Amino acid sequence: MNELERIEAQSLREAVVLCGGQGEMVGGAMCVRHPRVPWMELNRAIVLAQAVDLDAIASWFHGPHAIATCDDELGRALASRGYERARSWMKFERDAAPAPTAATEARIEETMDATLLGELVGHAELGAIAGAPGWRCFIALVDDVPAASGVLYADGTSAWLGVAFTKEAFRGRGLQSALIAKRIEAARALGVTLLTSETGELVSDHPGSSYRNLRRAGFREAFLRANWTAPV
């Protein structure tokens, strides 16, 4: 099993379950769903096994979902079932080298305030990860105003970075670069040697700011993974 996929899938399951959803291995994929948070990120399957049962996966969801896979043959099978290919995500990886300096006007702090985190990302349920085992949640404050978030999930020597959100009024001010650097240093302190994250592939009509932020922080492109959305 690919370790980059494993740690992302585990963090996803832990987050969704903590937030009141469901997550389990079904048909060779980690499947998660959250009835009150309609984000594709929280209603999808990450394929982890070579043998995949698409009928079992579709039956488990009973509704809108996406399936993430790097397997072209599986992609053709999904297309034949009416799934549509959405924007792919680039998986990134990084070792435990020190984080590059990220200049910012913001103050970066760790938070265990579930209400604050939930309000910042726009869904109260997601605040449940704040202070939970394995999770480190950080926010950027500009003049004491919560402006951006970023979280770290660590398991052994692997860690995943996600839940990167910046309020529109504070975008373009280096907050995410500072949050990435803070999480890299937090991971290093935990003994992590492999870090991973993901964001949308570079395409002409998307700015790719998250992509550039990860590259500047020392992350390398690992592989491109397709997202297939279920037929309505």
Side-chain angles (χ1 to χ4, degrees):
M1 183 185 299
N2 183 287
E3 181 62 12
L4 302 181
E5 298 284 66
R6 184 202 70 80
I7 188 64
E8 180 192 351
Q10 181 172 316
S11 64
L12 180 64
R13 180 196 64 201
E14 295 293 328
V16 171
V17 171
L18 281 168
C19 298
Q22 299 83 42
E24 61 180 309
M25 282 292 294
V26 177
M30 179 60 71
C31 298
V32 299
R33 61 190 177 201
H34 200 300
R36 296 186 302 280
V37 184
W39 294 352
M40 184 269 280
E41 290 87 344
L42 302 189
N43 295 274
R44 61 183 168 121
I46 299 178
V47 173
L48 299 176
Q50 290 186 336
V52 180
D53 186 338
L54 294 177
D55 288 329
I57 293 171
S59 178
W60 188 83
F61 279 101
H62 296 299
H65 64 278
I67 297 179
T69 180
C70 299
D71 188 314
D72 291 338
E73 183 177 348
L74 184 58
R76 289 190 288 272
L78 289 166
S80 71
R81 289 167 173 255
Y83 284 75
E84 293 188 1
R85 185 163 181 168
R87 186 182 179 191
S88 296
W89 287 357
M90 178 64 74
K91 283 291 294 183
F92 287 87
E93 64 178 330
R94 185 190 197 282
D95 59 22
T101 301
T104 179
E105 63 185 304
R107 185 171 78 254
I108 308 300
E109 294 184 353
E110 185 169 5
T111 184
M112 295 188 181
D113 187 330
T115 300
L116 174 59
L117 183 64
E119 290 177 349
L120 187 55
V121 301
H123 275 285
E125 292 88 347
L126 296 180
I129 63 176
W135 293 91
R136 303 281 300 277
C137 301
F138 299 90
I139 59 172
L141 298 105
V142 178
D143 297 328
D144 295 322
V145 176
S149 68
V151 311
L152 172 76
Y153 177 82
D155 176 51
T157 58
S158 298
W160 172 81
L161 282 70
V163 195
F165 175 81
T166 304
K167 290 181 178 178
E168 187 172 358
F170 298 96
R171 292 174 184 169
R173 298 164 73 169
L175 305 188
Q176 282 303 326
S177 290
L179 283 162
I180 292 171
K182 185 71 171 182
R183 285 177 286 170
I184 290 171
E185 292 308 308
R188 294 179 72 240
L190 294 171
V192 167
T193 57
L194 175 68
L195 295 91
T196 186
S197 188
E198 65 284 330
T199 191
E201 65 177 324
L202 285 179
V203 292
S204 59
D205 58 344
H206 286 78
S209 57
S210 295
Y211 200 108
R212 292 191 295 271
N213 288 339
L214 289 168
R215 287 293 305 275
R216 281 194 294 265
F219 282 86
R220 302 174 296 274
E221 295 101 333
F223 53 85
L224 199 62
R225 186 180 66 197
N227 292 305
W228 293 87
T229 58
V232 178

